[in-house]
Amino acid sequence: MTGRLAFVESPVQLLNVLEWAHARGRGPVPAAAPAPAPPAGADRAPGPDAARAPAAVPGSGPGTGSASASGPGTASGPDTASAPASGPDTASGSGTASAPEPAQGRGAVPAASDDLAIVVLSPSDPMSRGQLRRMAQLARDEGFDVHWQEARAGRGALVRTLRELGGPLRAAERVIVGDPFSRYVQLLLTLFGPRHVTVVDDGTATMEFAAQLAGGERLVRWHRKGDLGPRELLLAPVTSLARRRLAPGPHRTVEIFTSLPVQAPPGTEVTENAYAWTRARFGPPALTGGADLVGTSLVETGVVDAEHYLRVVGQLARTHGATRYFAHRRETPEKLHRIAVETGLQVVRPELPLELIARRGPVGATIVSFPSTVVHTLPLALAGTGVKVAVCEIAPEWLRATASPRAQGFLAGVVGTASGADRLTPRGGSAADRLEFG
């Protein structure tokens, strides 16, 4: 088997694949300057990640079309933070033209000078697709081959995806995945078990994945109750086998590449993601002097009550003098519209992962977030810039009655381990009380 193959389903996953490649010291090599041939008779004993040509992925490489890095239909230029919310998926609700989908390439292309091929298993929601288009173009600009796979495009998409990716998967020496909880990724790992697996961050799920892998538990996202419904029962054999394929063994190594504080499960290697590529590639940012708020999808995932959330957003904005609210890509237009109207905040739909947006700037001197990955990643990406990151704890009374029993403990763990962020503790006796943060 040869080469390295990455599967990504979100913009953050793709960013962290680029960080992983940078940390490995095997970034793209310009085509005009190929590596010299080894001297005659020289011994060659490459390890599992030694540079090799991967199996060609259909539709990858420079022959594929793509949207520009900033994307049409927005108000932002290549060096601005992002566009204010607009369009059918934003708070304002006014229609805007969306960027065209990347054109699918025809046939296989020659392997790139770097042996890492990236496959985007395209999601369905427009905001994720838009960010992924721009991240894919950024990866191409860095010299990587990126293949856009319409993995969820109606009937036949699954069979077509398995058929097109089966060959590259069988040939891959190492597979890099961003979401071990993804049913798509689990199915691919079940059918084609790689010898070497790397898991990169996709939000705080990495912490839960490491804990469940160490405990031999079934893979269940932290915000779900874990009840086995009809769909889960049907997919249980796939999940079980995928979990074994994600565990180290006599013929498999497993690496977790993360910026989060995880305990290495037995037999795994944990490598720190210090966001070195982001810091080398962008910034430092100009500071606005004010504060920015970072949104979360805790309401959309059924964890936090919407009214509590909106009230706290308003209070945080007044306390810290915030003017902008960076929306999570899964936040609903209805909720964002209420935030804009009720708090006066400018709602911004980031065009790229927030680590890149903040590093490019301009950005507030203080960034306030709810418990999420950014309270761990932003202090790394913004190291040395003078930006202060603060995290607001989630009070138990903000949780919905239907929230997973694990939710409070998991969110508290995210806050408690964020050593690079200041901690904001809400203080107030009831929902009607004015909140204070200490």
Side-chain angles (χ1 to χ4, degrees):
M1 294 191 292
T2 59
R4 302 178 295 176
L5 190 60
F7 291 102
V8 299
E9 298 175 272
S10 77
V12 170
Q13 291 176 32
L14 182 44
L15 168 60
N16 288 323
V17 167
L18 297 182
E19 291 287 354
W20 179 83
H22 180 82
R24 284 280 174 152
R26 293 189 177 94
V29 180
D43 292 332
R44 299 184 65 186
D49 288 318
R52 323 173 171 87
V57 178
S60 63
T64 55
S66 62
S68 67
S70 61
T74 68
S76 62
D79 294 314
T80 57
S82 55
S86 62
D89 292 305
T90 61
S92 66
S94 57
T96 59
S98 60
E101 297 296 341
Q104 296 296 311
R106 296 184 180 275
V109 299
S113 53
D114 185 83
D115 74 322
L116 173 62
I118 302 172
V119 176
V120 177
L121 299 174
S122 177
S124 302
D125 69 283
M127 287 307 302
S128 295
R129 291 174 71 91
Q131 282 195 5
L132 263 171
R133 283 195 296 267
R134 288 178 280 275
M135 277 303 303
Q137 183 57 44
L138 186 56
R140 291 187 182 104
D141 292 343
E142 293 293 303
F144 291 101
D145 279 338
V146 181
H147 170 63
W148 185 280
Q149 182 74 33
E150 288 293 355
R152 296 169 173 85
R155 279 189 169 185
L158 175 60
V159 174
R160 182 172 62 253
T161 297
L162 295 177
R163 183 175 64 247
E164 293 179 2
L165 300 182
L169 256 172
R170 280 188 290 268
E173 179 76 13
R174 178 175 295 274
V175 171
I176 303 102
V177 300
D179 184 5
F181 297 96
S182 164
R183 300 298 192 193
Y184 230 118
V185 168
Q186 290 179 357
L187 181 59
L188 289 171
L189 291 177
T190 299
L191 296 177
F192 310 98
R195 288 176 54 190
H196 306 284
V197 178
T198 293
V199 178
V200 302
D201 283 336
D202 181 35
T204 50
T206 310
M207 298 170 69
E208 191 75 349
F209 165 69
Q212 291 177 6
L213 186 64
E217 303 171 22
R218 188 166 54 92
L219 297 181
V220 180
R221 297 186 191 275
W222 67 267
H223 57 81
R224 293 181 179 171
K225 290 189 173 183
D227 299 331
L228 286 177
R231 184 171 180 268
E232 285 70 24
L233 286 172
L234 180 65
L235 294 172
V238 172
T239 302
S240 178
L241 181 53
R243 190 209 163 281
R244 293 196 293 273
R245 293 280 170 85
L246 286 164
H251 304 292
R252 181 175 300 104
T253 67
V254 176
E255 175 193 23
I256 300 176
F257 181 72
T258 180
S259 60
L260 302 171
V262 302
Q263 292 293 325
T268 64
E269 174 190 0
V270 174
T271 307
E272 181 188 7
N273 178 4
Y275 281 86
W277 176 80
T278 295
R279 287 185 280 110
R281 182 71 167 76
F282 301 102
L287 305 187
T288 64
D292 292 324
L293 297 187
V294 177
T296 176
S297 60
L298 289 174
V299 172
E300 285 73 12
T301 53
V303 176
V304 171
D305 176 77
E307 296 305 319
H308 279 294
Y309 182 81
L310 291 166
R311 179 175 54 86
V312 175
V313 166
Q315 183 61 44
L316 288 171
R318 291 188 294 271
T319 300
H320 296 277
T323 57
R324 295 187 299 180
Y325 178 95
F326 285 98
H328 189 279
R329 56 193 170 84
R330 291 199 182 98
E331 289 188 83
T332 64
E334 295 77 15
K335 188 180 82 174
L336 294 178
H337 177 73
R338 286 192 62 186
I339 288 173
V341 171
E342 296 176 18
T343 69
L345 289 165
Q346 178 191 12
V347 174
V348 178
R349 286 281 201 180
E351 296 185 332
L352 293 167
L354 194 58
E355 293 80 6
L356 302 185
I357 294 296
R359 185 71 194 180
R360 292 195 310 179
V363 68
T366 299
I367 298 176
V368 180
S369 174
F370 294 94
S372 72
T373 317
V374 299
V375 303
H376 293 269
T377 61
L378 285 180
L380 297 172
L382 296 172
T385 65
V387 176
K388 182 176 73 173
V389 178
V391 54
C392 178
E393 293 180 310
I394 300 295
E397 59 268 23
W398 301 352
L399 299 181
R400 295 183 60 184
T402 55
S404 166
R406 298 180 298 163
Q408 183 65 37
F410 182 80
L411 293 171
V414 173
V415 174
T417 55
S419 58
D422 293 340
R423 198 163 173 174
L424 304 177
T425 302
R427 295 170 181 169
S430 70
D433 288 342
R434 182 184 185 276
L435 288 175
E436 297 180 353
F437 298 91

